[in-house]
Amino acid sequence: MPQSGEKVLDHAPLFQQPEYKEMLANKKMKFECGHPDELVTEIGDWTKSWEYREKNLAREALTVNPAKACQPLGAVFAAAGYEQTLSFVHGSQGCVAYYRSHLSRHFKEPSSCVSSSMTEDAAVFGGLINMVDGLANAKALYDPKMIAVSTTCMAEVIGDDLNSFIIQSKEKGSVPEDFDVPFAHTPAFVGSHVDGYDNMQKGIISHFWEGEERTETDKINIIPGFDGFAVANNREITKMLDAMGVEFSFLSDVSDVYDTPSDGEFRMYDGGTKLDEAKAALNAKATISMQEYCSPKTLEYIAGKGQETAALHYPMGVQGTDEFLMKVQELTGKEIPEELRLERGRLVDAIADSQAWLHGKTFAIYGDPDFVYGMTRFVMELGGEPVHCLATNGNKKWAAKMEALLASSPFGKQGQVWAGKDLWHMRSFLNTEPCDMLIGNSYGKYLERDTGTPLIRLAFPIFDRHHHHRFPTMGYQGALTVLVKLLDTVFDKLDDDTIVPGETDYSYDLTR
């Protein structure tokens, strides 16, 4: 065997050794049906046809690789953004392992979350005992200031009542009567992670605000929404609002939670919105959500408390950032300072420097509804042409808003909106109506391999690359980050296509 203690091979070169190639070939023939390569190629080619695309679009009872996650993931993410808060998911251990691993693999940080460890007996008799014991253990072992409870499929199917269970747990002494245990029902079999985020935000806010009197101040609240780039984006938002002299509070700030330093100190909890600050947020003049589809229930509740509310769509690029800053100016009366005007001008200059390389390039974009909207708008600002805009968790209203956005620019005339479709649909779209670039998350690498469309990773989750989330995508500075990623993809592809000396190197240029 090629592996030895003197020369340890990584798995990539190891599996290219003759012994492993033979082993995998034998496995294919004996255990994986072993169809002839010609037949596999024939069927594979057919799945790239228009005929197959129509069959693919006609399916109703099957989803293949949806571009979304389930509600409890969003609830765990929202809860993590509050001071010393531990997420407690009422369900099985396996479900919670999925939420932790998804967040940890993306942010490259530990993601603290516990489970009520429901098993078969709880599925039959209910999970009250699991809740009573679980809350007591979580409080004793991990010493949180708040425990935020959400649910999984199992708890929802059997009808466990979180409010009742928490009250009974406190009566049994699991946690003190005055200990903060907000909750949200987050059935994983409906909606997506953005709904779970919304439900948990509303659960936490209503826990602190219900029954309290409001005294208006000049502060505003910011709801970031479910955002894989929140570490950098929240800091970018802070920088812009500080420059304007605006007092504000984040309703869930994960920027420090998922970006702890390595300095010899373990931080199970770090940063997050202070609980007293979350309580006082009731008195804010207004609340702005950076992502409308992550916060409809939360904003409705906040508006009912007398605050002004506003919702944006992932403010990326020139227009998206302009809208955010002008909305803040409208609500607070604070002027947009010269430093932000200069930052905007530098972005416009960078776009002008590079527009020739992006003008007319075609894009397929997928992800959460707000991200797809914001990314599509920015692509058109750059002279790019969105062709396929897909959100598995997008609805008909989102589709109508997307169509209006595409119709607002000549660069959107090719655009097609795909609400409720998945990445297997996207494979058909890219094979029948190819695009120059694909924008999404790490799962798009299989589309890149199948269709040859270069992938730009700008959405959650990003598993196969490191530290993208440490650079902003929102604001003028974030738009510059995104612009560079798009341009690098164009130039890398051009280099790959013109790299053979004497054959294709007619445009293997040093200066572009």
Side-chain angles (χ1 to χ4, degrees):
M1 298 294 283
Q3 193 72 282
S4 69
E6 288 72 34
K7 186 177 181 180
V8 178
L9 297 178
D10 182 55
H11 67 280
L14 180 64
F15 290 158
Q16 296 303 315
Q17 301 300 313
E19 297 92 333
Y20 284 94
K21 286 186 175 182
E22 181 182 359
M23 180 178 68
L24 293 171
N26 290 336
K27 176 176 177 288
K28 176 181 177 181
M29 292 304 297
K30 292 179 180 179
F31 303 110
E32 298 176 1
C33 298
H35 293 299
D37 290 342
E38 296 79 8
L39 180 59
V40 172
T41 300
E42 178 186 345
I43 298 300
D45 290 342
W46 175 67
T47 64
K48 300 174 182 178
S49 67
W50 277 94
E51 179 186 7
Y52 181 81
R53 169 172 163 163
E54 295 306 313
K55 291 181 179 295
N56 195 2
L57 284 169
R59 62 182 160 91
E60 298 177 356
L62 174 68
T63 299
V64 183
N65 203 7
K68 66 170 187 173
C70 60
Q71 281 207 48
L73 176 69
V76 170
F77 183 82
Y82 288 90
E83 176 191 14
Q84 208 166 321
T85 295
L86 181 66
S87 271
F88 182 105
V89 182
H90 188 45
S92 70
Q93 292 180 358
C95 291
V96 177
Y98 155 61
Y99 315 138
R100 284 199 302 256
S101 66
H102 239 57
L103 293 168
S104 296
R105 288 169 179 169
H106 175 84
F107 291 109
K108 306 299 183 247
E109 294 281 351
S111 181
S112 299
C113 178
V114 298
S115 164
S116 61
S117 302
M118 292 176 68
T119 54
E120 291 86 348
D121 57 341
V124 175
F125 301 108
L128 176 59
I129 295 175
N130 299 70
M131 179 73 73
V132 172
D133 293 342
L135 287 177
N137 290 336
K139 178 71 167 62
L141 289 171
Y142 304 115
D143 191 29
K145 284 190 175 181
M146 182 166 77
I147 297 175
V149 181
S150 54
T151 54
T152 64
C153 298
M154 182 190 297
E156 290 295 329
V157 167
I158 64 178
D160 281 0
D161 184 339
L162 291 185
N163 186 46
S164 172
F165 280 17
I166 291 169
I167 291 172
Q168 292 182 68
S169 295
K170 288 186 173 183
E171 289 173 349
K172 294 177 184 294
S174 295
V175 295
E177 284 286 343
D178 60 350
F179 187 77
D180 292 314
V181 188
F183 66 90
H185 283 275
T186 52
F189 46 78
V190 295
S192 74
H193 56 286
V194 300
D195 301 293
Y197 181 94
D198 186 23
N199 286 330
M200 181 52 77
Q201 282 280 35
K202 181 185 176 185
I204 291 173
I205 292 169
S206 61
H207 170 79
F208 287 124
W209 292 8
E210 202 59 36
E212 298 295 322
E213 291 294 325
R214 178 171 177 266
T215 303
E216 185 172 308
T217 66
D218 290 332
K219 291 183 71 172
I220 62 171
N221 300 320
I222 301 291
I223 302 176
F226 191 102
D227 179 17
F229 287 76
V231 163
N233 281 340
N234 287 8
R235 291 169 181 165
E236 190 65 21
I237 293 166
T238 298
K239 186 198 78 174
M240 290 189 290
L241 294 181
D242 283 350
M244 293 182 69
V246 173
E247 288 190 79
F248 72 98
S249 294
F250 278 118
L251 296 180
S252 182
D253 181 9
V254 300
S255 57
D256 290 337
V257 179
Y258 291 124
D259 192 26
T260 58
S262 290
D263 57 3
E265 178 186 348
F266 171 68
R267 297 168 173 82
M268 183 169 179
Y269 311 101
D270 197 19
T273 302
K274 300 290 186 184
L275 300 190
D276 287 342
E277 192 175 357
K279 296 173 187 176
L282 169 64
N283 301 318
K285 175 182 177 63
T287 295
I288 299 176
S289 170
M290 307 302 275
Q291 300 189 68
E292 178 180 338
Y293 294 97
C294 289
S295 54
K297 294 179 183 177
T298 304
L299 286 185
E300 182 181 16
Y301 177 81
I302 291 172
K305 292 296 181 180
Q307 287 189 26
E308 295 181 65
T309 62
L312 307 173
H313 296 295
Y314 207 93
M316 177 194 298
V318 180
Q319 184 179 351
T321 307
D322 287 353
E323 287 181 359
F324 168 62
L325 293 177
M326 288 190 291
K327 177 55 68 173
V328 172
Q329 183 182 45
E330 174 190 328
L331 292 171
T332 66
K334 300 287 187 178
E335 290 298 319
I336 299 171
E338 182 65 15
E339 64 184 275
L340 291 180
R341 296 181 188 276
L342 289 173
E343 199 170 277
R344 182 186 191 274
R346 294 185 188 109
L347 172 61
V348 173
D349 181 65
I351 293 172
D353 290 342
S354 307
Q355 61 85 27
W357 292 101
L358 292 171
H359 182 86
K361 290 290 188 293
T362 55
F363 293 82
I365 304 167
Y366 69 90
D368 290 337
D370 291 293
F371 170 78
V372 175
Y373 187 98
M375 190 73 246
T376 299
R377 177 163 60 178
F378 186 38
V379 161
M380 292 193 296
E381 283 183 353
L382 301 174
E385 300 182 13
V387 176
H388 303 296
C389 304
L390 183 150
T392 306
N393 47 359
N395 56 28
K396 291 181 180 179
K397 289 185 178 180
W398 170 80
K401 187 171 287 190
M402 282 294 302
E403 287 167 357
L405 172 66
L406 291 167
S408 70
S409 167
F411 297 112
K413 62 183 178 182
Q414 294 188 71
Q416 301 170 74
V417 181
W418 305 102
K421 302 305 180 184
D422 55 44
L423 295 188
W424 192 250
H425 290 115
M426 181 64 89
R427 181 179 180 273
S428 283
F429 303 150
L430 290 175
N431 278 312
T432 52
E433 295 179 282
C435 294
D436 294 311
M437 282 173 269
L438 173 67
I439 298 175
N441 58 27
S442 285
Y443 288 98
K445 71 186 301 178
Y446 300 104
L447 295 172
E448 181 179 43
R449 181 179 64 182
D450 281 358
T451 68
T453 312
L455 171 65
I456 304 166
R457 294 161 176 81
L458 286 167
F460 179 92
I462 299 174
F463 292 155
D464 60 334
R465 299 291 187 271
H466 288 205
H467 310 306
H468 286 216
H469 66 278
R470 300 178 192 274
F471 299 91
T473 53
M474 290 185 183
Y476 302 127
Q477 191 61 43
L480 186 59
T481 300
V482 175
L483 174 63
V484 170
K485 285 179 180 287
L486 300 184
L487 290 167
D488 281 353
T489 303
V490 170
F491 297 142
D492 287 344
K493 181 68 165 61
L494 186 56
D495 281 349
D496 287 343
D497 291 344
T498 61
I499 201 168
V500 181
E503 293 186 25
T504 65
D505 61 343
Y506 49 84
S507 191
Y508 194 66
D509 298 328
L510 178 63
T511 305
R512 288 175 176 150

